[in-house]
Amino acid sequence: MHTPTNNPVFAILYPILAALGVPVNLLAIVILSRGRCGLSRCITRYLVSMAVTDLLVIVTGVILNRISGIYLRRSFLFITPVCCLSNALVYAARDCSVWLTVAFTFDRFVAICCQNLKTKYCTRKTATRVIAIVCTLGCFKNIPWYFVYKPLYIINTVPWYCSIKLIFYSSLVWTTFHWSDRILTPCIPFLLILLLNALTVRHILASSGDRRRLRAHSNGENRSDPEIESRRKSVVLLFSISGNFILLWTVYVVDFLYVRITNDYYFAGSNFNDPKFILQESGNVLQLLSCCINTFIYTVTQSKFRAELKNGIKYSRRLLVKMDQ
């Protein structure tokens, strides 16, 4: 995410991402914070924190990094210390967003599969602690990114722009850091989410079959089960969010593995038609897009969220009418 591009296609895509990502995440924060979507306080706390970190990813990764790099190349944002800090914030926001998705997935796994642990773990207090730990560790883990860069130019003693130090690609310490960074985000989250979802599906299939047989035996008919319906809604939300993460981060992971295995890097200034550039930048766009999708997932899967959204639109219309009068 550290090398903005002037390619016309991506120069158009990034403003679209910003125009989409900022309002939808703000909308999600406002609606979910009201607590009227029929979700538990624990789930609401996770979803709000995910929307906040997704918004931070859009602000840092898209607006401050990509859009400013394309359209505001001579702004103070590209003085080297500011540029280094901006890049470190991009990675910190990204890590917090990814690992909060893992934390949410684990919380839903416990709620569905571990009934004995559910009452102790799936609480608002625990969610707050987990969110605080994830965000704190995400910030500390990415401090080294500040020291990865050097000035590209020095004009009137002022260092400008961020260029990756060559030692980053040859030093064992930096290579280890880069590998560990990509393994921690998003490779391990990939594996954890897939594993937790697989275990959740297995548990649901087994318990749902048992409940249907029990109800059919006791009632002599197969009527709808409120417990199964509640689980179904929870699972749809869970799988939609985690599936969105896995789908949109895949290209980013493939690009990292390709670069590190082949040592075939893309450098700024290369041909924009270079397949390495297209793979790298496509991975960046898709993983940034993942921070814009969750609000649409809530709208599709949660009827009460849709109701709150409609109420908000109606209220906005009434407010605009009053302002025009």
Side-chain angles (χ1 to χ4, degrees), residues 168-252:
F168 179 76
Y169 298 107
S170 58
S171 167
L172 177 61
V173 174
W174 282 117
T175 299
T176 302
F177 168 74
H178 197 203
W179 269 103
S180 64
D181 175 73
R182 292 301 188 271
I183 290 172
L184 288 172
T185 306
C187 295
I188 290 179
F190 252 71
L191 296 176
L192 287 176
I193 289 175
L194 287 173
L195 175 63
L196 291 171
N197 284 345
L199 294 174
T200 302
V201 168
R202 187 181 69 172
H203 176 84
I204 289 173
L205 291 176
S207 60
S208 297
D210 292 339
R211 287 183 65 86
R212 287 194 183 96
R213 285 192 294 270
L214 179 61
R215 287 176 62 84
H217 177 73
S218 59
N219 299 330
E221 55 185 56
N222 190 18
R223 294 183 299 179
S224 61
D225 187 341
E227 176 65 21
I228 292 179
E229 184 64 21
S230 175
R231 286 186 181 182
R232 186 190 67 81
K233 292 180 179 180
S234 181
V235 168
V236 168
L237 177 61
L238 169 64
F239 288 179
S240 299
I241 292 174
S242 55
N244 162 60
F245 167 78
I246 291 171
L247 180 64
L248 295 180
W249 274 81
T250 298
V251 176
Y252 186 88

Coordinates of all heavy atoms in Angstrom, one line a residue, residues 168-252:
F168 N 15.6 -3.6 3.1 CA 14.4 -4.3 3.5 C 14.2 -5.6 2.7 O 13.7 -6.5 3.2 CB 13.2 -3.4 3.2 CG 11.9 -3.9 3.4 CD1 11.4 -4.0 4.7 CD2 11.1 -4.4 2.4 CE1 10.1 -4.6 5.0 CE2 9.8 -5.0 2.7 CZ 9.3 -5.0 4.0
Y169 N 14.8 -5.7 1.5 CA 14.7 -6.9 0.7 C 15.8 -7.8 0.9 O 15.7 -9.0 0.5 CB 14.6 -6.5 -0.8 CG 13.4 -5.6 -1.1 CD1 13.5 -4.3 -1.4 CD2 12.1 -6.2 -1.2 CE1 12.4 -3.5 -1.7 CE2 11.0 -5.4 -1.5 CZ 11.2 -4.0 -1.7 OH 10.1 -3.3 -2.0
S170 N 16.9 -7.4 1.5 CA 18.1 -8.3 1.7 C 18.4 -8.6 3.1 O 19.0 -9.7 3.4 CB 19.3 -7.6 1.0 OG 19.6 -6.3 1.6
S171 N 18.0 -7.8 4.1 CA 18.3 -8.1 5.5 C 17.5 -9.2 6.0 O 16.3 -9.3 5.8 CB 18.1 -6.8 6.3 OG 18.1 -7.1 7.7
L172 N 18.1 -10.1 6.8 CA 17.4 -11.2 7.4 C 16.3 -10.7 8.4 O 15.2 -11.2 8.5 CB 18.4 -12.2 8.1 CG 17.7 -13.3 8.8 CD1 17.0 -14.2 7.9 CD2 18.8 -14.1 9.6
V173 N 16.7 -9.7 9.1 CA 15.8 -9.1 10.1 C 14.5 -8.6 9.4 O 13.4 -8.9 9.8 CB 16.5 -8.0 10.9 CG1 15.5 -7.3 11.9 CG2 17.6 -8.5 11.8
W174 N 14.7 -7.7 8.4 CA 13.6 -7.2 7.7 C 12.8 -8.2 6.9 O 11.5 -8.2 6.9 CB 14.0 -6.1 6.8 CG 14.3 -4.8 7.4 CD1 15.5 -4.1 7.5 CD2 13.3 -4.0 8.2 NE1 15.4 -3.0 8.2 CE2 14.0 -2.9 8.7 CE3 12.0 -4.1 8.6 CZ2 13.5 -1.9 9.5 CZ3 11.4 -3.1 9.3 CH2 12.1 -2.0 9.8
T175 N 13.5 -9.2 6.4 CA 12.8 -10.3 5.7 C 11.9 -11.1 6.6 O 10.8 -11.4 6.3 CB 13.8 -11.2 5.0 OG1 14.5 -10.5 4.0 CG2 13.1 -12.4 4.3
T176 N 12.4 -11.3 7.8 CA 11.7 -12.0 8.9 C 10.5 -11.2 9.3 O 9.4 -11.8 9.5 CB 12.6 -12.3 10.1 OG1 13.7 -13.1 9.7 CG2 11.8 -13.1 11.2
F177 N 10.7 -9.9 9.5 CA 9.6 -9.0 9.8 C 8.5 -9.1 8.8 O 7.3 -9.2 9.1 CB 10.1 -7.6 10.0 CG 9.0 -6.6 10.1 CD1 8.2 -6.5 11.3 CD2 8.7 -5.7 9.1 CE1 7.2 -5.6 11.4 CE2 7.6 -4.8 9.1 CZ 6.9 -4.7 10.3
H178 N 8.9 -9.0 7.5 CA 7.9 -9.0 6.4 C 7.1 -10.3 6.3 O 5.9 -10.3 6.2 CB 8.6 -8.7 5.1 CG 7.7 -8.3 4.0 ND1 8.0 -8.4 2.6 CD2 6.5 -7.7 4.0 CE1 7.0 -8.0 1.9 NE2 6.1 -7.5 2.7
W179 N 7.8 -11.4 6.4 CA 7.2 -12.7 6.4 C 6.2 -12.8 7.6 O 5.0 -13.2 7.5 CB 8.2 -13.8 6.5 CG 8.6 -14.3 5.2 CD1 9.8 -14.1 4.5 CD2 7.9 -15.2 4.3 NE1 9.8 -14.7 3.3 CE2 8.6 -15.4 3.1 CE3 6.6 -15.8 4.4 CZ2 8.2 -16.2 2.1 CZ3 6.2 -16.6 3.3 CH2 6.9 -16.8 2.2
S180 N 6.7 -12.4 8.8 CA 5.8 -12.5 10.0 C 4.6 -11.6 9.9 O 3.5 -11.9 10.3 CB 6.6 -12.2 11.3 OG 7.0 -10.8 11.2
D181 N 4.8 -10.4 9.2 CA 3.7 -9.5 9.0 C 2.6 -10.1 8.2 O 1.4 -10.1 8.5 CB 4.2 -8.2 8.4 CG 3.1 -7.2 8.1 OD1 2.5 -6.6 9.0 OD2 2.7 -7.1 6.9
R182 N 3.0 -10.7 7.0 CA 2.0 -11.3 6.1 C 1.5 -12.6 6.7 O 0.3 -12.9 6.5 CB 2.7 -11.6 4.8 CG 3.1 -10.4 4.0 CD 1.8 -9.5 3.7 NE 2.2 -8.4 2.8 CZ 2.6 -7.2 3.2 NH1 2.8 -7.0 4.5 NH2 2.9 -6.3 2.3
I183 N 2.3 -13.3 7.5 CA 1.7 -14.5 8.1 C 0.7 -14.2 9.1 O -0.4 -14.8 9.2 CB 2.9 -15.4 8.7 CG1 3.7 -16.0 7.6 CG2 2.3 -16.5 9.7 CD1 5.0 -16.6 8.2
L184 N 0.9 -13.1 9.9 CA 0.0 -12.7 10.9 C -1.2 -12.0 10.3 O -2.3 -12.1 10.9 CB 0.7 -11.8 11.9 CG 1.7 -12.4 12.9 CD1 2.4 -11.4 13.7 CD2 0.9 -13.4 13.8
T185 N -1.0 -11.4 9.2 CA -2.1 -10.7 8.5 C -1.8 -10.8 7.0 O -0.9 -10.1 6.5 CB -2.2 -9.2 8.9 OG1 -2.3 -9.1 10.3 CG2 -3.4 -8.6 8.2
P186 N -2.6 -11.6 6.2 CA -3.8 -12.2 6.6 C -3.8 -13.8 6.6 O -4.8 -14.4 6.7 CB -4.8 -11.8 5.5 CG -3.9 -11.8 4.3 CD -2.5 -11.4 4.8
C187 N -2.6 -14.4 6.6 CA -2.5 -15.8 6.4 C -3.1 -16.6 7.6 O -4.0 -17.5 7.4 CB -1.1 -16.3 6.2 SG -0.4 -15.7 4.6
I188 N -2.7 -16.3 8.8 CA -3.2 -16.9 10.0 C -4.7 -16.6 10.1 O -5.5 -17.5 10.4 CB -2.5 -16.5 11.3 CG1 -1.1 -17.2 11.2 CG2 -3.2 -17.0 12.5 CD1 -0.2 -16.9 12.4
P189 N -5.2 -15.4 10.0 CA -6.6 -15.1 10.0 C -7.4 -16.0 9.0 O -8.5 -16.5 9.3 CB -6.7 -13.6 9.7 CG -5.5 -13.1 10.2 CD -4.4 -14.1 10.0
F190 N -6.8 -16.1 7.7 CA -7.4 -17.0 6.7 C -7.7 -18.4 7.3 O -8.8 -18.9 7.3 CB -6.5 -17.2 5.6 CG -6.9 -16.4 4.3 CD1 -6.9 -15.1 4.3 CD2 -7.4 -17.1 3.2 CE1 -7.3 -14.4 3.1 CE2 -7.7 -16.5 2.1 CZ -7.7 -15.1 2.0
L191 N -6.6 -19.0 7.9 CA -6.7 -20.4 8.4 C -7.7 -20.4 9.6 O -8.5 -21.4 9.7 CB -5.4 -20.9 8.8 CG -4.4 -21.0 7.6 CD1 -3.0 -21.4 8.2 CD2 -4.9 -22.0 6.6
L192 N -7.6 -19.5 10.5 CA -8.5 -19.5 11.7 C -9.9 -19.3 11.3 O -10.8 -20.1 11.8 CB -8.1 -18.3 12.6 CG -6.8 -18.5 13.4 CD1 -6.5 -17.3 14.2 CD2 -6.9 -19.7 14.3
I193 N -10.2 -18.4 10.4 CA -11.6 -18.2 10.0 C -12.2 -19.5 9.3 O -13.3 -19.9 9.5 CB -11.8 -17.0 9.1 CG1 -11.6 -15.7 9.9 CG2 -13.1 -17.0 8.4 CD1 -11.5 -14.5 9.1
L194 N -11.4 -20.1 8.4 CA -11.8 -21.3 7.7 C -12.0 -22.4 8.7 O -13.0 -23.2 8.7 CB -10.8 -21.7 6.7 CG -10.7 -20.9 5.4 CD1 -9.5 -21.3 4.6 CD2 -12.0 -21.0 4.6
L195 N -11.1 -22.6 9.7 CA -11.2 -23.6 10.7 C -12.5 -23.4 11.6 O -13.3 -24.4 11.8 CB -10.0 -23.7 11.6 CG -10.0 -24.7 12.7 CD1 -10.1 -26.1 12.2 CD2 -8.7 -24.5 13.6
L196 N -12.6 -22.2 12.1 CA -13.8 -21.9 13.0 C -15.1 -22.1 12.3 O -16.1 -22.6 12.8 CB -13.6 -20.5 13.5 CG -12.5 -20.3 14.5 CD1 -12.3 -18.8 14.8 CD2 -12.7 -21.1 15.8
N197 N -15.1 -21.7 11.0 CA -16.4 -21.8 10.3 C -16.7 -23.3 10.0 O -17.9 -23.7 10.0 CB -16.3 -21.0 8.9 CG -16.5 -19.6 9.1 OD1 -16.9 -19.1 10.2 ND2 -16.1 -18.8 8.1
A198 N -15.6 -24.1 9.7 CA -15.8 -25.5 9.5 C -16.4 -26.2 10.7 O -17.3 -27.0 10.7 CB -14.5 -26.1 9.0
L199 N -15.8 -25.9 11.9 CA -16.2 -26.4 13.1 C -17.7 -26.0 13.5 O -18.5 -26.8 14.0 CB -15.3 -26.1 14.3 CG -13.9 -26.6 14.2 CD1 -13.0 -26.0 15.3 CD2 -13.9 -28.1 14.3
T200 N -18.0 -24.7 13.2 CA -19.3 -24.2 13.4 C -20.3 -24.9 12.5 O -21.4 -25.3 13.0 CB -19.4 -22.7 13.1 OG1 -18.4 -22.0 14.0 CG2 -20.7 -22.2 13.4
V201 N -20.0 -25.1 11.3 CA -20.9 -25.8 10.4 C -21.2 -27.3 10.8 O -22.3 -27.8 10.9 CB -20.4 -25.8 8.9 CG1 -21.2 -26.8 8.0 CG2 -20.4 -24.4 8.3
R202 N -20.1 -28.0 11.2 CA -20.2 -29.3 11.7 C -21.1 -29.4 12.9 O -22.0 -30.3 13.0 CB -18.8 -29.9 12.0 CG -18.9 -31.4 12.3 CD -17.5 -32.0 12.6 NE -17.0 -31.4 13.9 CZ -15.9 -31.9 14.5 NH1 -15.2 -32.8 13.9 NH2 -15.5 -31.4 15.7
H203 N -20.9 -28.5 13.8 CA -21.7 -28.5 15.1 C -23.2 -28.2 14.7 O -24.1 -28.9 15.3 CB -21.2 -27.5 16.0 CG -22.0 -27.3 17.3 ND1 -21.9 -28.1 18.4 CD2 -23.0 -26.4 17.6 CE1 -22.7 -27.8 19.3 NE2 -23.4 -26.8 18.9
I204 N -23.4 -27.3 13.9 CA -24.8 -26.9 13.5 C -25.5 -28.0 12.9 O -26.7 -28.4 13.2 CB -24.8 -25.6 12.6 CG1 -24.4 -24.4 13.4 CG2 -26.2 -25.4 12.0 CD1 -24.3 -23.2 12.6
L205 N -24.9 -28.7 11.9 CA -25.5 -29.8 11.2 C -25.8 -30.9 12.2 O -26.9 -31.5 12.1 CB -24.5 -30.3 10.1 CG -24.3 -29.4 8.9 CD1 -23.3 -30.0 8.0 CD2 -25.6 -29.1 8.2
A206 N -24.9 -31.2 13.1 CA -25.2 -32.3 14.1 C -26.3 -31.9 15.0 O -27.2 -32.7 15.3 CB -23.9 -32.6 14.8
S207 N -26.2 -30.7 15.6 CA -27.2 -30.3 16.6 C -28.6 -30.1 16.0 O -29.6 -30.4 16.6 CB -26.8 -29.1 17.3 OG -26.6 -28.0 16.4
S208 N -28.6 -29.6 14.7 CA -29.9 -29.3 14.1 C -30.6 -30.6 13.7 O -31.8 -30.8 13.9 CB -29.7 -28.5 12.8 OG -29.1 -27.3 13.1
G209 N -29.8 -31.6 13.3 CA -30.4 -32.9 13.1 C -31.0 -33.6 14.3 O -32.1 -34.1 14.3
D210 N -30.2 -33.5 15.4 CA -30.7 -34.0 16.7 C -32.0 -33.3 17.1 O -33.0 -33.9 17.6 CB -29.7 -33.8 17.8 CG -28.5 -34.7 17.5 OD1 -28.6 -35.7 16.7 OD2 -27.4 -34.4 18.1
R211 N -32.0 -31.9 17.0 CA -33.2 -31.2 17.4 C -34.4 -31.6 16.6 O -35.6 -31.7 17.1 CB -33.0 -29.7 17.3 CG -32.0 -29.2 18.4 CD -31.9 -27.7 18.4 NE -33.2 -27.0 18.6 CZ -33.6 -26.7 19.8 NH1 -32.9 -27.0 20.9 NH2 -34.8 -26.1 20.0
R212 N -34.2 -31.7 15.3 CA -35.4 -32.1 14.4 C -35.9 -33.4 14.7 O -37.1 -33.6 14.7 CB -34.9 -32.0 12.9 CG -34.7 -30.6 12.4 CD -34.6 -30.6 10.9 NE -34.3 -29.3 10.3 CZ -33.1 -28.8 10.0 NH1 -32.0 -29.6 10.2 NH2 -32.9 -27.6 9.6
R213 N -35.0 -34.4 15.0 CA -35.5 -35.7 15.3 C -36.2 -35.7 16.6 O -37.3 -36.4 16.8 CB -34.3 -36.7 15.4 CG -33.8 -37.1 14.0 CD -32.8 -38.2 14.1 NE -31.6 -37.8 14.8 CZ -30.5 -37.3 14.2 NH1 -30.5 -37.1 12.9 NH2 -29.5 -37.0 14.9
L214 N -35.7 -34.9 17.6 CA -36.4 -34.9 18.9 C -37.7 -34.2 18.8 O -38.7 -34.7 19.4 CB -35.5 -34.1 19.9 CG -36.0 -33.9 21.3 CD1 -36.2 -35.3 22.0 CD2 -35.0 -33.0 22.1
R215 N -37.8 -33.1 18.1 CA -39.1 -32.4 17.9 C -40.1 -33.3 17.2 O -41.3 -33.3 17.5 CB -38.9 -31.1 17.3 CG -38.3 -30.0 18.1 CD -38.0 -28.8 17.4 NE -39.3 -28.2 16.9 CZ -40.0 -27.4 17.7 NH1 -39.7 -27.1 18.9 NH2 -41.1 -26.8 17.2
A216 N -39.6 -34.0 16.1 CA -40.5 -34.8 15.4 C -41.1 -36.0 16.2 O -42.2 -36.4 16.1 CB -39.8 -35.4 14.1
H217 N -40.2 -36.5 17.1 CA -40.6 -37.6 17.9 C -41.6 -37.2 19.0 O -42.6 -37.9 19.3 CB -39.4 -38.2 18.6 CG -39.7 -39.3 19.5 ND1 -40.1 -40.6 19.1 CD2 -39.7 -39.4 20.9 CE1 -40.3 -41.4 20.2 NE2 -40.1 -40.7 21.3
S218 N -41.3 -36.0 19.6 CA -42.2 -35.5 20.7 C -43.5 -34.9 20.2 O -44.5 -35.0 20.9 CB -41.4 -34.4 21.5 OG -41.0 -33.3 20.7
N219 N -43.4 -34.2 19.0 CA -44.6 -33.5 18.5 C -45.4 -34.3 17.5 O -46.5 -33.9 17.1 CB -44.3 -32.1 18.0 CG -43.6 -31.2 19.1 OD1 -44.0 -31.4 20.3 ND2 -42.7 -30.3 18.7
G220 N -44.7 -35.3 16.9 CA -45.3 -36.0 15.8 C -45.4 -35.3 14.5 O -46.0 -35.7 13.5
E221 N -44.7 -34.1 14.4 CA -44.6 -33.3 13.2 C -43.4 -32.4 13.2 O -42.8 -32.2 14.2 CB -45.9 -32.4 13.1 CG -46.1 -31.5 14.3 CD -47.4 -30.7 14.2 OE1 -48.4 -31.4 14.0 OE2 -47.3 -29.5 14.2
N222 N -43.0 -31.9 12.1 CA -41.8 -31.2 11.9 C -42.1 -29.7 11.8 O -42.0 -29.1 10.7 CB -41.0 -31.7 10.7 CG -39.6 -31.1 10.7 OD1 -39.1 -30.6 11.7 ND2 -39.0 -31.2 9.5
R223 N -42.4 -29.0 12.9 CA -42.8 -27.6 12.8 C -41.5 -26.8 12.9 O -40.4 -27.3 13.3 CB -43.7 -27.3 14.0 CG -45.1 -27.9 13.9 CD -46.0 -27.5 15.0 NE -45.4 -27.9 16.3 CZ -46.0 -27.6 17.5 NH1 -47.1 -26.9 17.5 NH2 -45.5 -28.0 18.6
S224 N -41.6 -25.5 12.6 CA -40.4 -24.6 12.6 C -39.9 -24.5 14.1 O -40.6 -24.5 15.0 CB -40.8 -23.2 12.1 OG -41.8 -22.7 13.0
D225 N -38.6 -24.5 14.2 CA -37.9 -24.4 15.5 C -37.3 -23.0 15.6 O -36.4 -22.7 14.9 CB -36.8 -25.5 15.5 CG -36.2 -25.6 16.9 OD1 -36.3 -24.7 17.7 OD2 -35.6 -26.6 17.2
P226 N -37.8 -22.2 16.6 CA -37.2 -20.9 16.8 C -35.7 -20.9 17.1 O -35.0 -20.0 16.6 CB -38.0 -20.4 18.0 CG -39.2 -21.2 18.1 CD -38.8 -22.5 17.6
E227 N -35.2 -21.9 17.8 CA -33.8 -22.0 18.1 C -33.0 -22.2 16.8 O -31.9 -21.5 16.6 CB -33.5 -23.1 19.0 CG -32.0 -23.4 19.3 CD -31.4 -22.2 20.1 OE1 -32.1 -21.4 20.7 OE2 -30.1 -22.1 20.0
I228 N -33.4 -23.0 15.9 CA -32.8 -23.3 14.6 C -32.8 -22.0 13.8 O -31.8 -21.7 13.1 CB -33.4 -24.5 13.9 CG1 -33.0 -25.8 14.7 CG2 -32.8 -24.6 12.5 CD1 -33.6 -27.0 14.1
E229 N -34.0 -21.4 13.8 CA -34.1 -20.1 13.0 C -33.1 -19.0 13.5 O -32.5 -18.3 12.7 CB -35.5 -19.6 13.0 CG -35.8 -18.4 12.2 CD -35.7 -18.7 10.7 OE1 -35.7 -19.8 10.3 OE2 -35.5 -17.7 9.9
S230 N -33.0 -18.9 14.8 CA -32.1 -17.9 15.4 C -30.7 -18.3 15.0 O -29.9 -17.4 14.6 CB -32.2 -17.9 16.9 OG -31.3 -17.1 17.5
R231 N -30.3 -19.5 15.0 CA -29.0 -19.9 14.7 C -28.7 -19.7 13.2 O -27.6 -19.3 12.8 CB -28.7 -21.4 14.9 CG -28.6 -21.8 16.4 CD -28.2 -23.2 16.6 NE -28.1 -23.6 18.0 CZ -27.7 -24.8 18.4 NH1 -27.6 -25.8 17.5 NH2 -27.6 -25.1 19.7
R232 N -29.7 -19.9 12.4 CA -29.6 -19.7 10.9 C -29.2 -18.3 10.6 O -28.3 -18.0 9.8 CB -30.9 -20.1 10.2 CG -30.7 -20.0 8.7 CD -32.1 -20.2 8.0 NE -33.0 -19.1 8.3 CZ -32.9 -17.9 7.7 NH1 -32.0 -17.7 6.7 NH2 -33.7 -16.9 8.0
K233 N -29.9 -17.3 11.3 CA -29.7 -15.9 11.0 C -28.3 -15.5 11.5 O -27.6 -14.8 10.8 CB -30.7 -15.1 11.8 CG -32.1 -15.2 11.2 CD -33.1 -14.3 12.0 CE -34.5 -14.4 11.4 NZ -35.5 -13.6 12.2
S234 N -27.9 -16.1 12.7 CA -26.5 -15.8 13.2 C -25.4 -16.3 12.2 O -24.4 -15.7 12.0 CB -26.4 -16.4 14.6 OG -25.1 -16.1 15.1
V235 N -25.7 -17.5 11.7 CA -24.7 -18.1 10.8 C -24.6 -17.4 9.5 O -23.5 -17.3 8.9 CB -25.1 -19.6 10.6 CG1 -24.2 -20.2 9.5 CG2 -24.8 -20.4 11.9
V236 N -25.8 -17.0 9.0 CA -25.8 -16.2 7.7 C -24.9 -15.0 7.9 O -24.1 -14.6 7.0 CB -27.2 -15.8 7.3 CG1 -27.2 -14.8 6.2 CG2 -27.9 -17.1 6.8
L237 N -25.1 -14.2 9.0 CA -24.3 -13.0 9.2 C -22.8 -13.4 9.4 O -21.9 -12.7 8.8 CB -24.8 -12.3 10.5 CG -24.0 -11.1 11.0 CD1 -24.1 -10.0 9.9 CD2 -24.5 -10.6 12.3
L238 N -22.5 -14.4 10.1 CA -21.1 -14.8 10.3 C -20.4 -15.2 9.0 O -19.4 -14.7 8.7 CB -21.1 -16.0 11.3 CG -19.7 -16.8 11.4 CD1 -18.7 -15.8 12.0 CD2 -19.9 -18.0 12.3
F239 N -21.1 -16.1 8.3 CA -20.5 -16.6 7.0 C -20.4 -15.5 6.0 O -19.4 -15.5 5.2 CB -21.2 -17.8 6.5 CG -21.1 -19.0 7.3 CD1 -21.7 -20.2 6.9 CD2 -20.2 -19.0 8.4 CE1 -21.5 -21.4 7.7 CE2 -20.0 -20.2 9.1 CZ -20.7 -21.4 8.8
S240 N -21.3 -14.6 6.0 CA -21.2 -13.5 5.0 C -20.0 -12.6 5.3 O -19.3 -12.2 4.3 CB -22.5 -12.6 5.0 OG -23.7 -13.4 4.7
I241 N -19.8 -12.3 6.5 CA -18.7 -11.4 6.9 C -17.4 -12.1 6.7 O -16.4 -11.5 6.1 CB -18.8 -10.9 8.4 CG1 -20.0 -10.0 8.5 CG2 -17.5 -10.2 8.8 CD1 -20.3 -9.6 9.9
S242 N -17.2 -13.3 7.2 CA -16.0 -14.0 7.0 C -15.7 -14.4 5.6 O -14.6 -14.4 5.1 CB -15.9 -15.3 7.9 OG -17.1 -16.1 7.7
G243 N -16.8 -14.8 4.8 CA -16.6 -15.1 3.4 C -16.2 -13.9 2.6 O -15.3 -14.1 1.7
N244 N -16.7 -12.8 2.9 CA -16.3 -11.5 2.3 C -14.8 -11.3 2.5 O -14.0 -11.0 1.6 CB -17.1 -10.4 2.8 CG -16.4 -9.0 2.5 OD1 -16.2 -8.6 1.4 ND2 -16.1 -8.3 3.6
F245 N -14.3 -11.5 3.7 CA -12.9 -11.3 4.0 C -12.0 -12.3 3.2 O -11.1 -11.9 2.6 CB -12.7 -11.6 5.5 CG -11.2 -11.7 5.9 CD1 -10.4 -10.6 6.0 CD2 -10.7 -12.9 6.1 CE1 -9.1 -10.7 6.3 CE2 -9.3 -13.1 6.5 CZ -8.5 -12.0 6.6
I246 N -12.4 -13.5 3.2 CA -11.6 -14.6 2.5 C -11.5 -14.3 1.0 O -10.5 -14.3 0.4 CB -12.1 -16.0 2.8 CG1 -11.9 -16.3 4.3 CG2 -11.5 -17.0 1.9 CD1 -12.5 -17.6 4.7
L247 N -12.7 -14.0 0.5 CA -12.8 -13.8 -1.0 C -11.9 -12.6 -1.5 O -11.2 -12.7 -2.4 CB -14.2 -13.6 -1.4 CG -14.5 -13.4 -2.9 CD1 -14.1 -14.6 -3.7 CD2 -16.0 -13.0 -3.1
L248 N -12.1 -11.5 -0.7 CA -11.4 -10.2 -1.2 C -10.0 -10.1 -0.8 O -9.3 -9.2 -1.4 CB -12.2 -9.0 -0.7 CG -13.7 -8.9 -1.3 CD1 -14.4 -7.7 -0.7 CD2 -13.6 -8.9 -2.8
W249 N -9.5 -11.0 0.1 CA -8.1 -10.9 0.5 C -7.2 -12.0 -0.3 O -6.0 -12.0 -0.2 CB -7.9 -11.1 2.0 CG -8.0 -9.9 2.8 CD1 -9.2 -9.2 3.2 CD2 -6.9 -9.0 3.3 NE1 -8.9 -8.1 3.9 CE2 -7.5 -8.0 4.0 CE3 -5.5 -9.2 3.2 CZ2 -6.8 -7.0 4.6 CZ3 -4.8 -8.2 3.8 CH2 -5.4 -7.1 4.5
T250 N -7.9 -12.8 -1.1 CA -7.2 -13.9 -1.7 C -6.1 -13.4 -2.7 O -4.9 -13.9 -2.7 CB -8.2 -14.8 -2.4 OG1 -9.1 -15.4 -1.5 CG2 -7.4 -16.0 -3.2
V251 N -6.4 -12.4 -3.5 CA -5.4 -11.9 -4.5 C -4.2 -11.3 -3.8 O -3.1 -11.5 -4.2 CB -6.1 -10.9 -5.4 CG1 -5.1 -10.3 -6.4 CG2 -7.2 -11.6 -6.2
Y252 N -4.5 -10.6 -2.7 CA -3.4 -10.0 -1.9 C -2.4 -11.1 -1.4 O -1.2 -10.9 -1.5 CB -4.0 -9.2 -0.7 CG -3.0 -8.4 0.1 CD1 -2.7 -7.1 -0.3 CD2 -2.4 -8.9 1.2 CE1 -1.8 -6.4 0.4 CE2 -1.5 -8.2 1.9 CZ -1.2 -6.9 1.5 OH -0.3 -6.1 2.3

